[in-house]
Amino acid sequence: MSDLIPTPRLNLRDFTPARVSLPKTGHSIVTTEVLNFQLAHAEARDAVHASFDLPAFERRLRDELPTLAEASIPVLQLQTNAPSRAAYLRQPILGRTLHPDSVAQLQPASPNLATDLAIVIADGLSALAIEHNAIPLLAHLLPQLLAAGWTIAPLTLVQQGRVGIGDPIGFHLGASLSLVLIGERPGLSSPDSLGAYLTWHPHPDRTDADRNCLSNIRDGGLSSKIAADRLLWYLQAARTRQITGTSLKEGSVELQATVTSAETNSANKV
């Protein structure tokens, strides 16, 4: 009689939407799974090529985020140097630089007008992610920032934008920090995943190593409320340390102590 104990077979599909433990019939994957894969692939392609309708999204912002009007935060529509979606996908550099007309839109706000934060919303590789997740995230984040006394630059909407577009926008707006909310590259189970990138002292010379990122903000991923709370922590830490990027790490005991001390001092002054 054998002493071997059989290993229970786990259904990994109960723990992840990833395509693991696919059922088979003979040597082939069952037809349902093949069709689901083709549907997911089509949804990912649609997300990449979807158009970001700036006027319609600005109307949604004003309707669904009354905080903007209450705090007198303007909304600006900007364009990068990418003349089309095809050019944007083939030449990423075009999505990181502002069209001259858009630079001119920012000029009146720049001279001697320092603000704490510039919030940039860009389509990136999934306008669907912006449509689904940007407003719920801001609905949690903006009231907390304003209650803590943060000054917010005009909120900017960017078509054909990459992560780096936050650098020239934040620089021209004279903001201490930039926060870019952008559609991430769609996966086969997440065509609407939102990313948030934070940069201290945004400038065109900044690199990706100068940023912090929260990823996978969506239903089924990082919820809007949890993402807003974590972003608020990062923003406060960045302002306290005057740094973002590889040196700013969540969970650092030293950093946590510094932020807590700064918050306590601020509360005592009030």
Side-chain angles (χ1 to χ4, degrees):
M1 181 176 178
S2 173
D3 294 330
L4 293 177
I5 300 175
T7 302
R9 182 177 180 178
L10 297 177
N11 187 353
L12 299 179
R13 301 296 294 275
D14 292 340
F15 303 98
T16 173
R19 284 181 165 74
V20 295
S21 296
L22 297 179
K24 293 184 178 180
T25 175
H27 295 290
S28 301
I29 297 173
V30 298
T31 302
T32 303
E33 293 296 337
V34 174
L35 294 176
N36 286 340
F37 174 84
Q38 292 175 342
L39 174 61
H41 189 256
E43 289 176 339
R45 287 177 59 88
D46 286 348
V48 169
H49 293 283
S51 176
F52 187 22
D53 188 336
L54 298 189
F57 192 76
E58 180 176 347
R59 287 194 292 273
R60 278 192 60 201
L61 276 175
R62 296 188 184 282
D63 291 341
E64 299 176 31
L65 281 182
T67 304
L68 290 175
E70 293 166 4
S72 301
I73 300 174
V75 178
L76 303 177
Q77 299 178 25
L78 307 177
Q79 301 289 332
T80 65
N81 283 312
S84 66
R85 195 64 176 170
Y88 168 81
L89 294 174
R90 291 169 181 160
Q91 302 179 66
I93 186 64
L94 296 178
R96 302 186 185 112
T97 55
L98 273 178
H99 189 278
D101 291 345
S102 292
V103 173
Q105 284 182 260
L106 300 178
Q107 292 301 329
S110 60
N112 302 318
L113 182 60
T115 54
D116 292 321
L117 180 64
I119 299 175
V120 181
I121 301 177
D123 48 3
L125 290 173
S126 173
L128 195 63
I130 297 300
E131 297 284 347
H132 289 181
N133 303 303
I135 292 178
L137 175 64
L138 290 176
H140 290 295
L141 181 62
L142 267 179
Q144 296 186 76
L145 289 172
L146 294 170
W150 284 65
T151 54
I152 310 296
L155 194 153
T156 51
L157 308 179
V158 186
Q159 197 171 44
Q160 320 288 18
R162 300 274 179 175
V163 171
I165 197 62
D167 294 334
I169 292 175
F171 173 72
H172 286 296
L173 289 174
S176 298
L177 284 155
S178 70
L179 173 63
V180 178
L181 305 180
I182 190 166
E184 297 179 328
R185 184 186 304 278
L188 290 177
S189 59
S190 55
D192 61 345
S193 182
L194 182 74
Y197 292 81
L198 179 65
T199 308
W200 172 256
H201 269 184
H203 186 279
D205 292 337
R206 288 295 199 184
T207 69
D208 289 343
D210 298 318
R211 316 184 202 286
N212 289 94
C213 172
L214 282 186
S215 182
N216 199 29
I217 303 170
R218 63 183 178 89
D219 288 342
L222 191 63
S223 74
S224 297
K225 183 180 185 310
I226 293 176
D229 290 344
R230 292 179 68 177
L231 275 175
L232 181 65
W233 187 91
Y234 268 111
L235 287 164
Q236 291 171 332
R239 188 164 67 167
T240 301
R241 294 281 301 272
Q242 299 190 354
I243 194 171
T244 51
T246 54
S247 299
L248 183 62
K249 296 180 180 178
E250 188 177 12
S252 163
V253 175
E254 177 187 358
L255 177 57
Q256 185 64 55
T258 303
V259 174
T260 302
S261 175
E263 290 174 343
T264 302
N265 292 335
S266 176
N268 290 337
K269 289 178 182 177
V270 174

